[in-house]
Amino acid sequence: MSLIQKYNVAAPRYTSYPTVPYWNNAGFDIVSWQALVQQSFHATNNTEGISIYIHLPYCEKLCTYCGCNKYITVNHAVEEPYISTLLKEWQLYLGLFEKRPRIRELHLGGGTPTFFTPENLHQLVTGIFKGADILKDASLSFEGHPNNTTEAHMQTLYNLGFRRMSLGIQDFDLRVQEIINRIQPYETVARVMNAARAIGYTSINFDLVYGLPLQTAVSVKDTINQVMQLQPDRISFYSYAHVPWVKGVGQRRYSEADLPKDEEKRALYDLGKTMFAENNYTEIGMDHFALKHDPLYNAFANGTLHRNFMGYTDQHTSLMIGLGASSIGDSWYAYAQNEKEIAVWQRLVNNGQFPVVRGHLLNREDLLIRRHIHALMCAFETTWNKADTQCDAIFEGLQRLQEPEKDGLVIVHPKKVSVTLKGRPFIRNICMAFDARLWQQLPQSQLFSKTI
């Protein structure tokens, strides 16, 4: 059996620990969440500042590869009520703080943030800024769909301080674009990219996906060659997550017979990784690559790379406020997720209630395990002291790494675990060894996508 067949199992992507399916919702309540947000704010606002993630869930068309929380509509009358509710939710959080928050990071995610008009995005961002101070080195970013991201969108957000943008490319092959219902010609992406550079954006990310239906080595190579002509500052090269059992995803336009599997799928990643390296992109954490001038590379090189529900970031904050339907917040000591249904989320906020519907309060073991998983995901190694190994979960995790060590994926030192170059593609498997909550209650149904 090959390593790919051996380790191609369902596993979390570890944007958090515990992962969402293993949150202890029974032990969570909104009063505790508010108190822990206040605690984290009081301890870190003067030093780190805070992060804000704003979920803008609307899309005009359903991309059939997508597993995100979204709402499909061509009715743009939804924009203003949604933004009005977002600003009311922000006011609820401002009511918890004893002073003005200092924003270090703000990200507009989706859905499709550029579904909203430039004017409405201006109203949203200026409304957030009215209650806060923006740090000089703050990272402000947004996700854009190349087909509807206009110069007006980019100029409006640039004038507000945005310097980072992420474009969802996925694949340039027309056959692949048709089957995933996301047709966007290279010329469209080049137009947006050139306009962004002319305006002054300094960090542009491309999202690419490998393992999509009908993808081949030839199509992926052609896509990456076209990407290299545009030279984005960073690239996210994600494994396609086939999760057709999740409510709301559109992954039913094709079957598993259309998907590259196991060695074939892994070969697509290896091809991409090789081509990125040949074009001076450095591997950063899991599935990310960056040129050496980009802040993400600098954070990886100097050991300050951070990972949260927004993915990898060069900014570290303990407190992340999630605004919008389905958004997740992180107070460092607790997680909380908002109501997913837009109408219900709006009703709760408009009634003056925090729209949080589930969460998890981290205990001492959770905090310890999260530290090690975070280090593995960000630095490909983690260190511990004697007290750590006296924790049953850490001891058991080290025992589970014996087989990966035999396979050359990790090196277990007396006080450190290092992931080898051979082991980097299996980082989710390695982190899973320490996932005490998962091992205490193995899934009885499909929860996660496979690692390869």
Side-chain angles (χ1 to χ4, degrees):
M1 180 186 295
S2 70
L3 287 179
I4 291 172
Q5 291 172 326
K6 182 176 182 178
Y7 289 101
N8 189 22
V9 299
R13 291 180 181 265
Y14 291 110
T15 49
S16 74
Y17 180 82
T19 56
V20 175
Y22 286 94
W23 285 3
N24 178 18
N25 294 293
F28 176 87
D29 63 80
I30 188 64
V31 173
S32 296
W33 166 246
Q34 293 169 331
L36 291 172
V37 166
Q38 290 175 313
Q39 177 181 328
S40 185
F41 180 85
H42 181 75
T44 64
N45 185 56
N46 286 339
T47 53
E48 298 176 355
I50 71 169
S51 292
I52 301 174
Y53 172 77
I54 302 177
H55 191 65
L56 301 169
Y58 297 106
C59 299
E60 289 190 337
K61 292 183 178 180
L62 177 65
C63 300
T64 55
Y65 70 92
C66 180
C68 298
N69 183 270
K70 68 274 183 185
Y71 185 83
I72 310 301
T73 183
V74 294
N75 176 20
H76 285 263
V78 300
E79 292 185 37
E80 291 188 15
Y82 191 86
I83 286 176
S84 174
T85 310
L86 280 170
L87 294 176
K88 289 177 183 177
E89 186 182 3
W90 176 231
Q91 287 298 317
L92 294 177
Y93 278 99
L94 289 177
L96 297 179
F97 305 148
E98 72 273 15
K99 60 176 69 173
R100 286 171 65 87
R102 304 166 77 237
I103 297 177
R104 180 168 296 280
E105 182 177 31
L106 184 147
H107 182 69
L108 307 180
T112 305
T114 48
F115 170 96
F116 290 75
T117 66
E119 294 77 16
N120 280 332
L121 290 177
H122 183 273
Q123 179 188 348
L124 169 63
V125 176
T126 55
I128 296 291
F129 287 176
K130 283 179 183 177
D133 297 323
I134 313 304
L135 293 169
K136 289 184 179 180
D137 60 347
S139 175
L140 310 181
S141 58
F142 73 96
E143 298 168 11
H145 191 312
N147 287 350
N148 66 11
T149 299
T150 66
E151 288 190 42
H153 281 111
M154 293 183 283
Q155 188 67 62
T156 296
L157 292 171
Y158 182 87
N159 292 345
L160 291 168
F162 285 71
R163 297 295 180 267
R164 283 190 50 220
M165 62 182 289
S166 180
L167 296 175
I169 309 301
Q170 324 320 339
D171 192 291
F172 279 125
D173 185 89
L174 182 59
R175 290 174 66 246
V176 176
Q177 290 186 352
E178 287 176 341
I179 203 169
I180 65 173
N181 199 36
R182 191 183 178 96
I183 297 175
Q184 50 192 28
Y186 170 84
E187 292 73 20
T188 299
V189 177
R191 173 188 58 78
V192 175
M193 185 75 168
N194 293 335
R197 292 294 193 208
I199 289 170
Y201 282 86
T202 56
S203 182
I204 300 175
N205 175 76
F206 279 10
D207 281 346
L208 304 177
V209 179
Y210 68 93
L212 289 169
L214 306 186
Q215 268 185 340
T216 65
V218 172
S219 70
V220 169
K221 184 176 181 179
D222 288 346
T223 288
I224 294 175
N225 279 331
Q226 292 177 82
V227 168
M228 290 303 107
Q229 294 176 37
L230 298 174
Q231 286 285 293
D233 305 280
R234 58 176 79 169
I235 296 169
S236 304
F237 194 40
Y238 294 115
S239 168
Y240 166 66
H242 192 56
V243 288
W245 59 86
V246 175
K247 180 182 177 182
V249 304
Q251 298 173 350
R252 293 177 178 83
R253 196 174 183 179
Y254 44 84
S255 72
E256 291 194 4
D258 297 308
L259 304 175
K261 298 180 183 65
D262 296 340
E263 280 87 354
E264 183 186 5
K265 183 178 180 182
R266 191 68 222 177
L268 299 180
Y269 178 81
D270 291 337
L271 171 63
K273 181 177 176 179
T274 298
M275 294 181 71
F276 299 145
E278 290 171 349
N279 288 274
N280 301 315
Y281 288 85
T282 299
E283 184 178 21
I284 308 293
M286 180 181 75
D287 300 338
H288 285 64
F289 301 83
L291 295 173
K292 290 189 176 180
H293 67 259
D294 192 84
L296 199 68
Y297 170 83
N298 294 329
F300 177 73
N302 62 29
T304 60
L305 189 66
H306 185 52
R307 186 168 174 81
N308 56 27
F309 287 103
M310 294 186 282
Y312 286 110
T313 171
D314 57 286
Q315 303 287 341
H316 181 279
T317 60
S318 299
L319 178 58
M320 187 185 82
I321 302 297
L323 302 176
S326 83
S327 268
I328 296 178
D330 179 0
S331 77
W332 199 255
Y333 309 104
Y335 304 127
Q337 183 170 28
N338 281 352
E339 166 63 47
K340 290 184 178 182
E341 295 295 329
I342 295 173
V344 178
W345 167 77
Q346 288 177 318
R347 184 170 67 249
L348 289 169
V349 173
N350 289 327
N351 286 336
Q353 298 175 255
F354 280 80
V356 171
V357 293
R358 64 172 173 172
H360 178 86
L361 306 179
L362 281 77
N363 61 30
R364 184 176 297 180
E365 181 182 272
D366 291 337
L367 291 166
L368 176 61
I369 294 172
R370 180 177 67 176
R371 175 165 64 83
H372 289 296
I373 288 179
H374 181 275
L376 287 166
M377 293 295 292
C378 292
F380 294 123
E381 68 175 31
T382 188
T383 60
W384 60 83
N385 54 39
K386 186 176 180 180
D388 289 356
T389 56
Q390 291 174 349
C391 170
D392 289 343
I394 301 301
F395 177 79
E396 292 167 3
L398 292 172
Q399 297 299 111
R400 294 188 193 100
L401 287 181
Q402 290 181 3
E403 189 70 16
E405 186 173 32
K406 289 179 184 177
D407 290 330
L409 308 186
V410 296
I411 300 173
V412 180
H413 306 275
K415 295 184 178 181
K416 182 171 74 171
V417 169
S418 300
V419 180
T420 64
L421 288 175
K422 183 180 179 181
R424 287 187 179 189
F426 304 97
I427 186 64
R428 289 164 68 186
N429 305 81
I430 293 165
C431 290
M432 191 166 61
F434 293 101
D435 192 336
R437 290 185 180 269
L438 182 148
W439 290 105
Q440 289 164 8
Q441 186 181 347
L442 292 172
Q444 299 301 307
S445 61
Q446 293 173 306
L447 286 180
F448 307 110
S449 62
K450 290 190 175 182
T451 58
I452 303 301

